[in-house]
Amino acid sequence: MNKLIELNNVSVSYDTKVVLRDVSFKLWTNDFLGIIGPNGGGKTTLIKVILGLLKPGSGMISFYDSGRETSSLKTGYLPQINQIDKHFPISVYEVVASGLMSDKKRLGGYTAIQRNQIRDTIEQMGLDGLSERPIGELSGGELQRTLLGRAVVSSPQVLILDEPNTYVDKLFESRLYELLKIINEQTAIILVSHDVGTILPLVKNVACVNETLHYHAGNNITEGWLDEAFHCPIELVGHGDIPHRVLKTHNCKHEH
């Protein structure tokens, strides 16, 4: 198994406030990494560094393709808060197709293979029958599925999802997690979530970001590890087969 991304002692500050300090970890091919942590702990900043949107103040991030260092990777990204203008006259098909813009020939339309990719992705997202619908007429869940389709249509090497269930309707939520397992067979996934319990059955490894980064190989994390990583006491409570996190009485510098 080859590594795709490696961070070595990455630190980021905004003015005088340190947001990330000496963060190091590796992401492997077909990895499914769950990133958890308190609000304000640095999760979004870490994602910006990985996406190349933010340069570390110190430390290094490296990318690898088939064991060789490269300047970048093909990455799909689903942000936590969609900033798409719902009044913009664009259809579901066009939004999903925009995920192939970098692969499209400068002149001319999409190839037959690309058009099949777009149609297959729309069907995979459960949006068949809505291809021509303007995005302004979609529900929040349908819009989020459309944006997820845009993120995965190009078959990226890494897929980054920031709180993907924020807008997904409950009817599609279980299907979403099934889809992620299928996508993970070919694509490494980084899933950022505040909901520890929901992501544990999905991910292969866990990282808690709270200024520093605590990495846990495997998903069998313990209450003690969570306490240490969050710097706040947390316990996992089972509801059926899925545990959820509960904050105990505590004093903590981060807002939860």
Side-chain angles (χ1 to χ4, degrees):
M1 183 168 56
N2 294 321
K3 62 184 174 183
L4 285 173
I5 301 174
E6 183 174 15
L7 276 72
N8 283 304
N9 301 116
V10 166
S11 295
V12 177
S13 299
Y14 296 124
D15 296 323
T16 58
K17 177 177 173 56
V18 177
V19 181
L20 295 177
R21 186 191 306 275
D22 293 329
V23 168
S24 299
F25 78 94
K26 298 181 181 71
L27 182 77
W28 305 89
T29 53
N30 301 127
D31 200 351
F32 197 144
L33 177 67
I35 295 181
I36 60 176
N39 293 337
K43 300 189 300 293
T44 299
T45 298
L46 176 60
I47 293 304
K48 288 181 178 179
V49 170
I50 294 172
L51 288 170
L53 301 175
L54 188 63
K55 187 176 180 180
S58 62
M60 182 178 296
I61 179 169
S62 304
F63 303 97
Y64 298 86
D65 188 357
S66 301
R68 296 184 178 183
E69 191 166 355
T70 183
S71 59
S72 63
L73 296 172
K74 182 182 287 189
T75 303
Y77 176 52
L78 181 67
Q80 179 179 359
I81 302 175
N82 74 75
Q83 298 178 347
I84 193 167
D85 183 358
K86 293 190 68 173
H87 299 291
F88 191 76
I90 188 171
S91 68
V92 168
Y93 183 94
E94 290 167 322
V95 171
V96 174
S98 68
L100 291 174
M101 287 296 290
S102 62
D103 299 328
K104 183 182 176 184
K105 293 181 180 179
R106 185 167 297 179
L107 298 175
Y110 294 101
T111 66
I113 292 175
Q114 289 172 327
R115 289 195 297 272
N116 284 333
Q117 281 179 262
I118 296 165
R119 284 192 291 267
D120 289 346
T121 300
I122 289 173
E123 182 177 353
Q124 186 182 40
M125 294 298 114
L127 296 167
D128 38 323
L130 300 179
S131 293
E132 302 308 317
R133 181 165 296 183
I135 59 171
E137 297 179 10
L138 301 177
S139 69
E142 289 167 345
L143 178 58
Q144 194 73 335
R145 282 184 264 159
T146 300
L147 298 176
L148 177 59
R150 180 181 66 178
V152 303
V153 68
S154 65
S155 300
Q157 294 164 284
V158 180
L159 175 63
I160 299 176
L161 307 170
D162 197 351
E163 303 284 2
N165 59 347
T166 305
Y167 295 101
V168 171
D169 45 70
K170 290 299 180 183
L171 291 175
F172 188 74
E173 191 169 3
S174 61
R175 175 62 178 152
L176 169 66
Y177 296 138
E178 292 173 9
L179 275 174
L180 293 181
K181 289 179 181 179
I182 295 171
I183 292 169
N184 186 226
E185 293 174 4
Q186 304 295 328
T187 302
I189 298 177
I190 298 175
L191 172 59
V192 180
S193 180
H194 69 281
D195 192 337
V196 177
T198 297
I199 71 167
L200 285 183
L202 298 171
V203 302
K204 297 174 181 175
N205 302 296
V206 181
C208 180
V209 180
N210 191 7
E211 188 177 306
T212 56
L213 183 142
H214 294 249
Y215 183 88
H216 188 286
N219 63 358
N220 58 331
I221 64 175
T222 64
E223 182 181 333
W225 184 85
L226 283 173
D227 286 355
E228 180 183 357
F230 272 79
H231 302 307
C232 296
I234 295 174
E235 60 184 342
L236 293 177
V237 179
H239 291 272
D241 295 327
I242 300 177
H244 294 266
R245 66 171 182 162
V246 175
L247 294 177
K248 300 177 185 175
T249 302
H250 64 287
N251 294 309
C252 182
K253 67 178 180 178
H254 293 293
E255 179 184 349
H256 291 257

